[in-house]
Amino acid sequence: MVTADYLKQAHRILDAAASETEALETAAGLIADAYADGHTVYVFGCTHSAILAEDVFYRAATPAFWRPLWGPGMSIATTPGFLTSAVEHNEAVGKAVIECSQLKKDDVLVLISTSGKNGAPVAVAEAALKRGARLIVISSAAYRDQKGDHSSIPNLWSLSDRAVMIDNHVPCGDASITAGNCPMGPLSTIVGSFIMHTLSALAVEKIAAKGLVPPVFLSSNAPGGREHNEKLLARPEIRNAFLLP
């Protein structure tokens, strides 16, 4: 029963995310235009949202244009759990993520935060907009009316007039089923990965429509994949992005 219930909820939320057609197409268009014009495409998330930035970076079947912004103490893989929670509420750290980056006017930033109300991601969004970046936000409308801990901005939805908002439809609390009388079955990673890879595919399709060759990594474990990736990594803009000599 748990397996069937969870699968049903996963199907439901993926269908809901797929219905965000207009927002997905608009966001993919911004990404494709930025790439074609020589701008950089960044992605940022805190703690479990950071998993989604990792999910599209230097990965087979994904474009090479993604540039994650790694925030200090924001990766659950390298920082004690409770400390990541403290960091994602820290507005000053979020502001510093942009201040210490090369993000510039007309670059694109995809920012992932399901609750959309913690101080760090809201500060990242604010600082990016001040630099003139184009902002795409993946968040849940279930938190639209909640106020977080940023000093002046209630949540990311309050920036909707300056950003492309993609609703991931995750329920408040990120639990979709009950098991042993406990709320369980998080959905944010499942649907977040779907949205990120959908954005990648839509953007690549639009890049190809411009007459450009999309920079997509192949699996180095598949025939011809290693050779393809070596040619891709020989391109100066990609070598610089990956800090290769």
Side-chain angles (χ1 to χ4, degrees):
M1 181 66 71
V2 164
T3 303
D5 287 348
Y6 195 21
L7 182 61
K8 180 180 179 180
Q9 293 304 316
H11 283 162
R12 178 194 61 77
I13 203 164
L14 289 172
D15 285 340
S19 73
E20 296 284 314
T21 308
E22 183 177 353
L24 288 166
E25 289 285 350
T26 301
L30 289 181
I31 293 169
D33 288 346
Y35 174 80
D37 292 338
H39 298 295
T40 306
V41 182
Y42 293 95
V43 57
F44 172 83
C46 294
T47 58
H48 286 90
S49 291
I51 294 171
L52 302 175
E54 296 173 359
D55 198 32
V56 292
F57 181 62
Y58 190 53
R59 178 175 184 159
T62 61
F65 56 60
W66 290 112
R67 302 288 176 267
L69 290 175
W70 306 121
M74 294 179 181
S75 170
I76 202 75
T78 58
T79 306
F82 286 114
L83 183 54
T84 65
S85 295
V87 173
E88 71 179 357
H89 289 281
N90 191 307
E91 182 178 336
V93 173
K95 182 180 179 182
V97 167
I98 298 300
E99 288 179 342
C100 297
S101 77
Q102 295 183 348
L103 183 139
K104 58 188 181 300
K105 186 178 185 298
D106 293 328
D107 285 344
V108 170
L109 171 61
V110 177
L111 192 153
I112 309 150
S113 174
T114 291
S115 73
K117 64 179 189 175
N118 291 329
V122 174
V124 167
E126 180 186 34
L129 287 170
K130 286 182 177 178
R131 285 202 179 185
R134 310 299 296 275
L135 181 63
I136 298 165
V137 173
I138 301 171
S139 189
S140 171
Y143 295 85
R144 185 192 298 267
D145 298 324
Q146 295 190 29
K147 185 180 185 306
D149 46 28
H150 190 276
S151 59
S152 60
I153 301 173
N155 56 55
L156 290 171
W157 289 93
S158 65
L159 302 175
S160 60
D161 61 330
R162 292 185 283 166
V164 177
M165 304 296 298
I166 301 174
D167 185 2
N168 66 9
H169 295 268
V170 172
C172 185
D174 201 7
S176 64
I177 62 171
T178 300
N181 294 320
C182 299
M184 298 188 73
L187 296 169
S188 58
T189 306
I190 293 171
V191 71
S193 181
F194 171 78
I195 290 172
M196 287 301 299
H197 288 294
T198 298
L199 278 179
S200 291
L202 288 171
V204 161
E205 189 173 61
K206 294 178 186 298
I207 289 168
K210 294 176 181 291
L212 302 174
V213 178
V216 175
F217 285 117
L218 302 181
S219 171
S220 60
N221 297 311
R226 186 183 299 275
E227 293 78 10
H228 170 89
N229 292 341
E230 287 176 353
K231 290 180 181 178
L232 193 59
L233 290 168
R235 292 163 57 170
E237 73 277 13
I238 295 178
R239 293 191 71 79
N240 290 338
F242 282 84
L243 304 179
L244 292 170

